[in-house]
Each structure stands twice: as structure tokens, then as C-alpha cells.
Amino acid sequence: MGRCRTEIEKVKDNIKYWMDSGFPREFLEFFFKWALLNLYYSKISNQKCEVYRVLDFGKKHEDLFDYVEDHARELVKKECVGEGLEAAPPSRWVKTATLQLRRKLGIDTERVCATCRSEKRRKCCEVKTEEYEFGRMEALMRILYQIRCNLFHGGKTEWGRDQMKRNQCLVETGNKIVTIILEKLVRS
């Protein structure tokens, strides 16, 4: 009961912080732009589960990757996007997508992993990868979807200085990518 109480108090502190200080502009922008993208990928896919609609979008729009490649590179040159708060490791699917995208972009995974927080690196080593080959855009969409899930479900709202800085960086890069995608979609 005590551990649960402590976690609830952390959540309350987090809520109070954001209610008092206001949500960062880049987070609000990402929420809105993702909602616009959701309109599109939900219409082009008959998949029931949202993550599969997102992946379907990536498969059907592999051609968009060339426009976002530099930003995708920026995203995967950093520590993997975790599944939740603080030093949470990535899910199996996000780890697979990240490793494959790094390989396709010629990024040295060992060098990137050497810069990860030790606690996260230790947890990540225990995460298995999937037997699945992502396309470049599909892999990128899976990573972006994790950022979206973390924001929507509260996993990227920590306000501690270092973690907040990292979260803002992930969201800013995600915003750049989603903006380009939306612009290309409406012009095609």
C-alpha cells in the first residue's frame, strides 16, 4: 500500500506542476498534429487496432521517408524511446523498429547504447526483439506512435529537469516529422 501511495503522490505532483505552469507548446502542437494524422491513417486502413493503422500508414507511405530522413536519423541517434516513465525500456516492437532503422541509416547502435542511462541500458538488454522486418517509414511510425502513447497516457510528462529536456527533444523532433508528413499528404 505504501509504494502505491508514493506513486499516486508522484502523479499528483506531476498533475499539479502542469496545471500550475501550463503544458509546453511543443507538446500541445504534437497532440494536435497527431490528431490530424490520425484522421488520415484511420481512413486509409481497415485495421481495428490503432497501432496497426499507424504501421499500415508507414507501409503505404514509404515514399515519405526521404523527406523526413534527417529528422528520423536525429531521433534514432538518441536513447530508445521507452515505454513509460523515467528509465523505462522500450517495448519489444519499439526496440526492434529502432535497431532496424539505425541499421538502415548506418548508425552504430553500440555507440548510441553506450550513451544511454545505465539503468535504462540494463533494463533494455532484457528486452527481446521481434522476428519482423520493418520498412523505414513503418519503423519510424512505430517509434513516433510510442512517443504519442507516452504523451497521451502521461508517460512523457515528467517535469524533472533532465527527463523533461529529453522529452521535449523527442517531441520537437516528432513535431518536425509529423509536420512534413502532413504537408506532403495535403500536397499529393
Side-chain angles (χ1 to χ4, degrees):
M1 187 74 155
R3 182 178 180 271
C4 186
R5 179 84 177 130
T6 303
E7 294 299 316
I8 290 171
E9 290 306 316
K10 281 184 188 177
V11 169
K12 286 181 178 179
D13 288 345
N14 204 28
I15 292 169
K16 182 176 179 351
Y17 174 81
W18 290 115
M19 294 298 289
D20 291 348
S21 64
F23 221 52
R25 177 198 53 77
E26 59 273 2
F27 284 26
L28 295 172
E29 187 177 324
F30 189 83
F31 278 125
F32 182 71
K33 287 180 180 176
W34 191 271
L36 294 174
L37 184 59
N38 187 329
L39 284 170
Y40 187 85
Y41 66 68
S42 291
K43 291 294 180 203
I44 66 164
S45 178
N46 59 3
Q47 297 287 335
K48 291 188 191 250
C49 184
E50 184 174 15
V51 69
Y52 294 125
R53 292 192 302 270
V54 170
L55 295 175
D56 212 15
F57 172 86
K59 288 178 201 172
K60 291 176 179 176
H61 290 285
E62 178 66 26
D63 59 306
L64 292 175
F65 191 82
D66 293 338
Y67 299 105
V68 297
E69 183 174 341
D70 290 340
H71 300 299
R73 182 179 307 281
E74 182 182 334
L75 190 63
V76 297
K77 283 173 81 172
K78 297 178 175 75
E79 187 177 272
C80 290
V81 176
E83 187 176 32
L85 296 168
E86 298 171 354
S91 70
R92 293 166 49 153
W93 287 101
V94 171
K95 182 176 181 175
T96 302
T98 303
L99 295 176
Q100 289 179 11
L101 194 51
R102 284 179 187 158
R103 185 185 77 237
K104 291 173 183 189
L105 293 172
I107 296 169
D108 182 353
T109 289
E110 286 187 34
R111 176 177 273 156
V112 175
C113 291
T115 65
C116 291
R117 292 169 282 177
S118 59
E119 179 185 357
K120 185 168 184 174
R121 186 172 51 242
R122 183 177 38 75
K123 291 176 185 176
C124 186
C125 287
E126 298 170 8
V127 176
K128 306 280 187 231
T129 55
E130 293 290 335
E131 293 291 326
Y132 179 81
E133 188 63 34
F134 282 99
R136 295 177 308 163
M137 192 65 184
E138 184 184 16
L140 177 58
M141 291 305 297
R142 183 58 188 93
I143 297 164
L144 289 172
Y145 183 70
Q146 187 65 56
I147 294 170
R148 171 256 180 233
C149 289
N150 288 346
L151 272 177
F152 277 53
H153 301 292
K156 287 293 176 212
T157 57
E158 302 118 317
W159 47 271
R161 204 170 93 208
D162 292 338
Q163 189 63 39
M164 181 60 189
K165 189 174 180 181
R166 173 176 156 65
N167 292 341
Q168 283 183 296
C169 185
L170 289 172
V171 172
E172 286 172 4
T173 303
N175 269 332
K176 291 173 189 173
I177 294 167
V178 174
T179 299
I180 292 167
I181 290 169
L182 291 170
E183 288 172 352
K184 296 297 178 188
L185 287 175
V186 297
R187 287 183 175 80
S188 64

